């Protein structure tokens, strides 16, 4: 049976018995024309405003409430039933719906709507949004914030907040979130399955609600798109009618998918062959935005199943669209006979299943592999639970990444060896066991394995974990990193754990964060319950066909029992083993040696910053950075503002900052919209503002995959105009020479190449010097040479300009993209290209900042003799509604400012925009709010600059009196750090300048 959760709307203000029925507050039909309605005044003053029941101006047969406002904060009020007062109201009915009609004589179009439960405000428009056309009825819906725990008010007040407004309202309702959803009786079926074709997709557009304790069955067509929402805590059985059952829109190939975040129940997927019996497979087809397997936080995963427990049953398949995609599951179980597949056509797609976020245990018994040529399937394990892989025919060619919890490899290794099967993993990917995770079991791993975490052979009882490829004679490479720990339990001489490596065992001194370490891996001995080892009998804990490299061995960690001898044997043929034996049942104290592993590093301490004094200090930021020999910069979108003004956004830019970068004005599409036709209107505006306010300028950017002119490429990737490699080089060369040459001697530095790296840089885990370029019109059709050439041409066009490369996601040591960026820059430096530094964009969200890793990253560029600057800083609020959100943001801005100030090779820090309302990002990421009011973040940046400048003056590094901008240096003396005079500056130098006005300025500089 199919029914709609939508009860009959009642005319009176009464609560209905059905929990799913919307509540009508008032439709005014029961009130005589002329009835005067009570208005509540938020300010408790005299009220001249009126509210009267009148005839509908658009339909004389309908009654409505006409409100004429003369004061701010006046709203009509309505009485609530006793059982729905205060917090009980917003818990049950979080939405207010109504019809609103603006009189044709109404004044200002930009106003706020507000809702109160009692005197507590539960909704207010952000800013002053456009209130819609006049003279027509509009349907409005507002989601209320929860009322306070102690709120028991029996009145709801709502309406427009203004002092000169004329409007009507009608049909005021309170609605629950799922009142318009479909539901079924327990066990009911919604049958959307039809005998259709690829040209006649069926759409499941209904929103479905499944209450706890109930089951809903849904049948999909072979060709279907599921666009409706699903919510509830019950059980959803999906009977998939074929291989094109998209969860999402067919037009987007699943990239645009419905919101199932409120589905917290179970989802079971079965094959359904009753209508179409000859499909390629029966299951669900999904997609996502671009996925980065080594940077899940920055990825755009498909989150449809994130809050659900999903089970894939015998005969059912999950498949993924083309591209690099990630599908996330709260919990995923697969039965024998089911399949986790990749892209369903031949190609080069990379499909990842991210499992375990609920922290529960699960079993993957079905097959995991890409069924069509050229594609890969990968697995990412997150969450605290344990996942078990038991299948014997898998080919997880996209690799396995253990980021949290435990993974048991429990396939039948004996059968895999006997029948030459792939085993649990297959041989074509790489298994990454990251720090804090555990790889365990008694099956076989046939893939290359990189171990930063823990390996525990065996399962519920002692056993052997095999690293072996039974499909070929090729061995398995296992690389142990400094954090690695192989833990073996011993019960008796015959019952114990063992790691058996049929291949090469190697050691890498690179930690998970790519730092060098002199520590070697550990082997830890544990005693199983009921342990009874026999004295002087040997127990083999680890074997390897070959140990690569000499001079390293395992650090042995012992249990607190018995006396042990552990020997590490290396044969002439390279074979290696670790053999332990108990020499005495007496405890020797060997287990008293504590583990010397480092504690997990923090993200850096944020002191209890105090910016109180800075709230009343009007000293501009740039005045402090001038004393420190630094630059504080800003991205300015000149097209947004009247740049001739000295107030507003332009005034802030000029007063506070001493460096500008055009937000879009100097990009390819802005400067060369047609081939050979250059437009410098926007870039000239940036230069004009900089000249007005005596500011330095950064040029951004010359070679980028985005905002490329359409005549070059329609999307920055395709060569849709069929240019040859030579033509593209000529196009780029002419562009660089023209744009850089136009501003020769006026722009201090250029971002020559921007965002050239692909987001997936997992290659550096297995090739430490590698990097991968992102596909673009430049990289794909010219090759890496475009980078080298761009730097050479920019230098030739303006030999005095400093040249930078710039990217995002490369800020913190330990990220694969950060390491790849460093590798690329080392290569550019080694190639003797004219590159002066690199930019870290720093588009962050509160909670992401790791100042320790940021500073380590900046310092290692100093070792290369290169600047490393912060180019596009903004920090969005992770939770804009948190009480301390702005303080957290302020502390993180302050922490980054301290890193900027501490490092001489970081001469500039630029913020990407003036105010929150003009940021390209949501959630208020900048220093000034939408009203251009300085935020706590601004004041803490100010405080850090002020404190640093005051210290510099106290230390005698900077003269407290600064020279005017128009004075000339008449004498310069330079000293090394020991106070000795130097003629040719190199390294850190103290420079003393005497100006024509008599002032003296002493600064610390770094010369290359």
């Amino acid at each position: 049976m199919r029914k709609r959760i939508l009860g009959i709307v009642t005319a009176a203000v009464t609560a209905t018995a059905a929990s799913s029925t919307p509540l009508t507050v008032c439709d005014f039909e029961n009130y005589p024309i002329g009835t005067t309605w009570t208005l509540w005044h938020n300010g408790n003053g005299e009220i001249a405003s009126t509210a009267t029941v009148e005839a509908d101006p658009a339909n004389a047969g309908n009654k409505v409430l006409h409100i004429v406002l003369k004061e701010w904060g006046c709203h009509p009020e309505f009485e609530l039933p006793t059982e729905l007062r205060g917090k009980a109201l917003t818990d049950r009915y979080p939405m207010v719906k109504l019809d609103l009609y603006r009189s044709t004589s109404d004044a200002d179009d930009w106003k706020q709507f507000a809702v109160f439960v009692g005197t507590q405000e539960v909704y207010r428009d952000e800013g002053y949004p456009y209130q819609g056309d006049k003279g027509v009825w509009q349907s409005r819906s507002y989601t209320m914030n929860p009322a306070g725990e102690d709120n028991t008010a029996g009145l709801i007040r709502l309406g427009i907040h203004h002092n000169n407004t004329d409007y009507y309202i009608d049909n005021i309702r309170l609605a629950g979130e799922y009142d318009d959803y479909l539901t079924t009786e327990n066990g009911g079926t919604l049958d959307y399955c039809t005998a259709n074709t690829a040209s006649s997709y069926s759409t499941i557009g209904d929103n479905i609600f499944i209450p706890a304790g109930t089951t809903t069955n849904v049948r999909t067509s072979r060709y279907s798109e599921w666009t409706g929402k699903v919510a509830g805590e019950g059980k959803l059985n999906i009977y998939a009618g074929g291989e094109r059952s998209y969860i999402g829109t067919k037009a987007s190939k699943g990239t645009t998918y419905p919101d199932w975040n409120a589905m917290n129940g179970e989802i079971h997927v079965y094959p359904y062959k009753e209508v179409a019996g000859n499909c390629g497979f029966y299951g669900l087809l999904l997609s996502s935005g671009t996925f980065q397997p080594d940077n899940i936080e920055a990825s755009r995963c498909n989150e449809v199943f994130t809050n659900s427990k999903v089970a894939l049953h015998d005969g059912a398949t999950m498949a993924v669209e083309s591209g690099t995609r990630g599908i996330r599951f709260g919990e995923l179980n697969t039965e024998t006979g089911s399949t986790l597949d990749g892209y369903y056509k031949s190609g080069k797609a990379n499909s990842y299943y991210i499992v375990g976020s609920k922290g529960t245990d699960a079993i993957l018994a079905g097959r995991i592999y890409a069924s069509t040529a050229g594609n890969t399937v990968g697995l990412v394990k997150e969450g605290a639970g344990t996942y078990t892989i038991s299948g014997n025919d898998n080919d997880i060619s996209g690799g396995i990444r253990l980021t949290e919890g435990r993974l048991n490899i429990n396939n039948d290794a004996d059968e895999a060896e006997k029948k030459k099967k792939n085993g649990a993993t297959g041989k074509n990917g790489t298994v990454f066991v990251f720090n804090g995770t555990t790889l365990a079991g008694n099956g076989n791993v046939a893939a290359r394995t990189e171990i930063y975490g823990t390996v525990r052979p065996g399962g519920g009882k002692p056993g052997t974990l095999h690293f072996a490829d039974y499909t070929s004679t090729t061995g398995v490479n296992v690389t142990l990193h400094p954090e690695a720990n192989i833990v073996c339990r011993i019960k008796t001489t015959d019952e114990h754990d063992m790691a058996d490596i049929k291949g090469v065992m190697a050691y890498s001194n690179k930690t998970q964060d790519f730092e060098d370490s002199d520590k070697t891996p550990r082997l830890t001995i544990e005693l199983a319950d009921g342990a009874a080892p026999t004295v002087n009998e040997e127990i083999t804990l680890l074997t390897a066909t070959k140990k690569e490299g000499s001079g390293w061995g395992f650090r042995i960690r012992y249990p607190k029992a018995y006396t042990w001898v552990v020997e590490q044997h290396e044969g002439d043929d390279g074979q290696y083993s670790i053999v332990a034996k108990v020499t005495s049942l007496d405890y020797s104290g060997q287990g008293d040696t504590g583990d010397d592993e480092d504690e997990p590093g923090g993200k850096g301490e944020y002191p209890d910053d105090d910016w109180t004094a800075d709230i009343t200090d009007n000293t501009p930021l740039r005045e402090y950075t001038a004393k420190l020999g630094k630059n504080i910069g800003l991205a300015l979108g000149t097209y947004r503002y009247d740049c001739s003004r000295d107030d507003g956004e332009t005034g802030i830019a000029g007063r506070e900052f001493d460096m500008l970068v055009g937000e879009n004005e100097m990009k390819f599409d802005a400067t060369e919209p047609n081939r050979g036709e250059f437009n410098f209107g926007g870039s000239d505006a940036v230069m004009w503002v900089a000249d007005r306010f005596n500011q330095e300028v950064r040029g951004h950017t010359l070679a980028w995959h985005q905002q490329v002119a359409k005549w070059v490429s329609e999307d920055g990737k395709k060569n849709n105009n069929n240019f040859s490699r030579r033509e593209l080089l000529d196009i780029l060369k002419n562009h660089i020479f023209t744009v850089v040459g136009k501003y020769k001697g006026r722009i201090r530095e250029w971002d020559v190449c921007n965002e050239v790296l692909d987001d997936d840089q997992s290659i550096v885990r297995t090739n430490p010097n590698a990097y991968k370029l992102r596909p673009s019109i430049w990289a794909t059709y010219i090759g890496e040479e475009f980078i080298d050439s761009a730097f050479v041409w920019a230098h030739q066009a303006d030999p005095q300009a400093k040249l930078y490369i710039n990217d995002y996601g490369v800020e913190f040591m330990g990220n694969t993209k950060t390491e790849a960026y460093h590798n690329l820059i080392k290569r550019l430096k080694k190639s003797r290209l004219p590159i002066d530094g690199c930019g870290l964009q720093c588009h962050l969200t509160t909670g992401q900042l790791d100042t320790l890793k940021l500073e380590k990253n900046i310092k290692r560029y100093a070792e290369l003799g290169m600047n490393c600057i912060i180019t596009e800083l903004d920090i969005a609020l992770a939770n804009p509604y948190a009480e301390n959100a702005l303080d957290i943001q302020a502390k993180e801005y302050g922490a980054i400012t301290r890193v900027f100030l501490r490092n001489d090779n970081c001469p500039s820090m630029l913020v990407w925009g003036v105010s929150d309302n003009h940021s390209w990002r949501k959630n208020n990421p900048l220093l000034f709010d939408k009203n251009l009011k300085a935020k706590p973040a601004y004041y803490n940046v100010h405080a850090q600059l002020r404190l640093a400048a005051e210290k510099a003056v106290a230390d005698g590094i900077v003269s407290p009196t600064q020279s005017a901008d128009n004075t000339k240096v008449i004498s310069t003396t330079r000293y090394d750090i020991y106070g000795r005079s130097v003629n040719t500056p190199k390294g850190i130098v103290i420079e003393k300048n005497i100006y024509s006005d008599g002032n003296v300025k002493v600064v610390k500089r770094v010369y290359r």
Side-chain angles (χ1 to χ4, degrees), residues 757-871:
L757 287 180
D758 193 80
D759 291 326
D760 179 9
Q761 296 293 337
S762 53
I763 188 174
V764 301
R765 291 284 178 197
T766 53
N767 184 351
N769 297 312
Y771 53 86
K772 183 170 70 172
L773 301 185
R774 73 164 65 246
S776 72
I777 183 65
W778 313 118
T780 305
Y781 298 99
I782 295 176
E784 189 171 344
E785 180 190 331
F786 92 88
I787 301 174
D788 303 51
S789 298
F791 275 96
V792 170
W793 294 331
H795 180 65
Q796 291 172 345
D798 186 353
Q800 301 305 313
K802 301 294 183 183
L803 305 181
Y804 285 78
I805 191 169
N806 189 48
D807 218 318
Y808 67 89
V810 295
E811 293 82 6
F812 306 123
M813 282 278 287
N815 292 342
T816 53
K817 191 174 180 182
T818 302
E819 196 67 13
Y821 193 50
H822 189 244
N823 291 343
L824 171 59
I825 292 167
K826 284 191 297 183
R827 202 279 294 169
L828 297 176
K829 189 74 173 175
K830 186 177 180 181
S831 299
R832 304 181 69 83
L833 291 170
I835 180 171
D836 298 287
C838 62
L840 312 179
Q841 291 186 8
C842 290
H843 293 299
L844 306 175
T845 300
T846 51
Q848 285 184 324
L849 178 61
D850 188 325
T851 55
L852 296 179
K853 291 183 178 180
L854 174 64
E855 190 156 17
K856 282 182 180 180
N857 195 26
I858 291 173
K859 286 183 181 298
R860 65 175 175 168
Y861 287 104
E863 296 171 3
L864 294 178
M866 298 184 68
N867 283 339
C868 181
I869 63 176
I870 295 168
T871 55

Side-chain angles (χ1 to χ4, degrees), residues 11-71:
V13 185
T14 58
T16 62
S19 63
S20 59
T21 304
L23 176 71
T24 295
V25 175
C26 196
D27 66 2
F28 305 104
E29 294 303 314
N30 293 333
Y31 295 90
I33 297 290
T35 300
T36 300
W37 209 268
T38 301
L39 287 173
W40 171 70
H41 189 199
N42 195 11
N44 296 319
E46 295 283 332
I47 299 179
S49 303
T50 61
T52 310
V53 176
E54 297 182 4
D56 184 340
N59 176 13
N62 184 43
K63 297 178 185 178
V64 297
L65 187 66
H66 182 199
I67 302 158
V68 180
L69 296 180
K70 302 296 183 183
E71 296 88 18

Side-chain angles (χ1 to χ4, degrees), residues 29 68 234 265 294 315 397 430 446 515 529 652 668:
E29 294 303 314
V68 180
D294 277 305
S397 50
T430 300
E515 296 189 51
D529 292 340
I652 289 174
F668 203 121

Side-chain angles (χ1 to χ4, degrees), residues 444-690:
N444 78 292
V445 176
R448 174 175 180 163
T449 305
E450 299 278 334
I451 302 172
Y452 303 89
T454 299
V455 172
R456 283 183 169 271
K461 60 182 181 179
T464 300
L465 181 61
H466 305 271
F467 294 87
D469 174 15
Y470 297 127
T471 66
S472 72
T473 58
T474 304
V476 174
N477 292 329
V478 176
T479 301
L480 299 155
H481 294 264
E483 309 97 322
N485 188 12
I486 297 178
V487 180
C488 294
R489 295 166 302 167
I490 295 175
K491 185 171 184 179
T492 66
T493 304
D494 298 321
E495 277 190 272
H496 61 85
D497 292 334
M498 185 174 79
D500 177 27
I501 301 172
K502 295 287 195 302
V504 176
M505 180 183 68
Y507 163 68
S508 169
N509 72 333
K510 289 286 186 183
T511 68
Q512 184 172 315
D513 289 339
F514 301 102
E515 296 189 51
D516 294 332
S517 173
D518 59 0
K519 292 182 178 178
T520 56
R522 292 160 290 161
L523 186 141
T524 299
I525 300 172
E526 290 184 352
L527 295 177
D529 292 340
T534 303
V535 174
N536 290 327
E537 288 196 3
E538 293 186 343
I539 303 170
T540 301
L541 302 178
L542 183 148
T543 62
T545 305
K546 182 179 179 181
K547 174 177 175 282
E548 186 174 87
S550 59
W552 73 273
F554 285 85
R555 294 173 286 150
I556 308 300
R557 297 292 178 260
Y558 300 92
K560 291 189 175 183
Y562 314 131
T563 299
W564 298 84
V565 170
V566 175
E567 296 176 339
Q568 302 185 45
H569 299 294
E570 292 188 52
D572 294 338
D573 56 358
Q575 287 195 335
Y576 178 84
S577 63
I578 296 180
V579 178
K581 63 181 177 181
V582 172
T583 59
S584 170
L585 298 179
D586 297 328
Y587 178 49
S588 65
Q590 290 167 298
D592 294 341
T593 301
D595 206 336
D596 59 351
E597 286 308 291
D598 297 328
E599 291 296 320
K603 291 187 173 183
E605 294 298 324
Y606 302 155
D608 191 12
D609 295 333
D610 183 1
W611 52 84
T612 306
D614 298 88
I615 295 175
T616 55
D617 184 346
N618 294 323
T619 306
L621 302 177
R622 63 184 292 175
E623 188 168 321
Y624 291 126
T625 54
K627 293 180 178 181
L628 296 164
K630 299 267 189 176
N631 288 104
I632 183 79
L634 181 81
L636 187 69
T638 57
Y639 52 90
R640 289 197 181 105
Y641 314 123
D642 181 352
C643 294
S644 66
R645 298 179 59 170
D646 291 328
D647 61 355
E649 290 87 353
T650 309
I652 289 174
R655 182 180 68 253
E656 297 289 342
F657 301 92
D658 57 15
M659 176 177 275
L660 287 185
V661 60
E663 191 172 349
N664 292 293
E665 289 82 345
M666 296 186 187
K667 292 172 181 174
F668 203 121
D669 60 348
T671 53
E672 193 179 356
N674 299 298
R675 187 170 188 177
E677 296 178 10
F678 289 85
N679 183 344
F680 295 111
S683 52
D684 283 346
V686 173
M687 302 304 295
W688 185 75
V689 173

Side-chain angles (χ1 to χ4, degrees), residues 966-989:
N966 60 353
T967 59
K968 297 181 179 179
V969 177
I970 60 174
S971 174
T972 299
T973 309
R974 297 182 179 91
Y975 306 89
D976 63 17
I977 59 175
Y978 302 105
R980 298 174 298 200
S981 178
V982 294
N983 294 320
T984 304
K986 187 175 182 181
I988 299 175
V989 173

